């Protein structure tokens, strides 16, 4: 806000930049590595309600329930 003097604004900007550089970015990098290296490889190739018992019936029910599709 304009009510913050230039010196205080510079300090806050420096501290916010440091917090992002030292905290946020490393956390995102760690999450990305986990997601790409551990999580995605463990996911099944094809997913959907049709994989469940009577899944085709369930899919048809929800299609009728929430759309105009038979």
């Amino acid at each position: 806000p304009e009510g913050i003097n230039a010196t205080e604004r510079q300090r806050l900007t420096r501290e916010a930049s440091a917090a992002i550089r030292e905290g946020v970015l490393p956390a995102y990098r760690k999450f990305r590595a986990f997601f790409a290296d551990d999580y995605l490889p463990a996911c099944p190739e094809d997913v959907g309600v049709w994989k469940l018992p009577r899944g085709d019936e369930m899919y048809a029910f929800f299609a009728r329930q929430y759309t105009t599709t038979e």
Side-chain angles (χ1 to χ4, degrees), residues 31-55:
F31 174 71
R32 186 205 175 282
F34 160 75
F35 193 81
D37 299 337
D38 299 324
Y39 186 82
L40 280 180
C43 291
E45 287 293 319
D46 58 337
V47 295
V49 71
W50 58 86
K51 300 281 279 183
L52 299 174
R54 299 178 61 192

